[in-house]
Amino acid sequence: MTGVRVDHAVTSGTFSLDGETHQVDNNLWVVGDDEECLVIDAPHSVEDILAVVDGRRVKAIVCTHAHDDHVRVAPALREAVRAPILLHPDDRPLWELTHPDELWDADLSDGQVIEIGDTAVTVLHTPGHAPGAVCLSVPSLGCVFTGDTLFQGGPGATGRSFSDRPTIEASIRAKLFTLPGETVVHTGHGDDTTIAAEAAGLS
Ligand SMILES: [Zn+2]
């Protein structure tokens, strides 16, 4: 029996790209056991993230992509918890828009496995919403963290710079719709869904 669980909160702030700024609510996901955890994305507020971490050792800050509403406090969180920031290198141009003077610590790659407690988290490179967008699959928990690649209701937005609709659809079909249908989808914004529900919607 795994002691690994998912903890969640919602945190609010802004998202800016292409000269527009929007108010957004971001899901904040932490996966781990009583001892250690992974923080998935670093939106808006270090304090809100630390409340979910609840004193555990943070093994890494894993960024699903580098839009500013997902990485804004990543460097400050790194300072606070002494954990490395992980990002797919294809999101460098987006990262530099928010953090031109500092980098992340290690690159994510497709198929990479990150161990947390007794549980394996598999990195799936899913470009489209952003070139370096990744999803994080946790088969033993029956869930996948999709960032802004797949939401309840369909694929993430592709109308802005560095996004591409055919690319996100190809990513979702190849990397997400091949997961078991009952897999719970924990998204970057809004409610959970399942792979089966979204596969039925994108035909
Ligand atoms: Zn995004």
Side-chain angles (χ1 to χ4, degrees):
M1 193 58 195
T2 179
V4 171
R5 65 181 190 274
V6 175
D7 292 292
H8 170 240
V10 176
T11 181
S12 299
T14 59
F15 165 57
S16 300
L17 191 62
D18 297 340
E20 287 177 31
T21 295
H22 301 273
Q23 199 67 35
V24 284
D25 291 337
N26 282 66
N27 288 322
L28 178 54
W29 299 106
V30 173
V31 53
D33 58 18
D34 289 341
E35 307 297 322
E36 63 174 11
C37 61
L38 299 174
V39 172
I40 299 175
D41 289 337
H44 311 311
S45 162
V46 170
E47 215 170 76
D48 287 356
I49 295 166
L50 292 179
V52 181
V53 168
D54 196 21
R56 290 175 284 174
R57 186 174 75 83
V58 177
K59 190 173 183 187
I61 303 156
V62 186
C63 302
T64 62
H65 62 300
H67 280 153
D68 65 354
D69 58 325
H70 293 256
V71 300
R72 182 176 319 279
V73 302
L77 181 64
R78 168 172 61 189
E79 281 298 305
V81 300
R82 306 269 164 210
I85 300 168
L86 313 185
L87 177 73
H88 193 286
D90 289 358
D91 258 16
R92 184 174 188 131
L94 286 165
W95 173 273
E96 287 177 339
L97 293 175
T98 305
H99 300 300
D101 299 324
E102 45 199 338
L103 283 174
W104 63 99
D105 300 287
D107 289 345
L108 294 171
S109 61
D110 188 52
Q112 177 181 350
V113 175
I114 302 168
E115 307 267 339
I116 190 72
D118 62 359
T119 292
V121 176
T122 302
V123 177
L124 308 173
H125 182 212
T126 52
H129 176 73
V134 301
C135 297
L136 302 166
S137 173
V138 194
S140 68
L141 296 179
C143 71
V144 61
F145 299 91
T146 56
D148 291 357
T149 292
L150 184 64
F151 292 123
Q152 185 187 79
T158 48
R160 298 187 181 90
S161 300
F162 306 105
S163 286
D164 185 68
R165 177 78 189 195
T167 304
I168 199 174
E169 287 196 11
S171 291
I172 289 169
R173 289 183 201 285
K175 301 285 179 58
L176 297 181
F177 288 174
T178 48
L179 298 172
E182 66 273 19
T183 302
V184 174
V185 177
H186 295 309
T187 64
H189 307 271
D191 293 334
D192 287 350
T193 182
T194 64
I195 291 297
E198 300 312 319
L202 188 72
S203 53

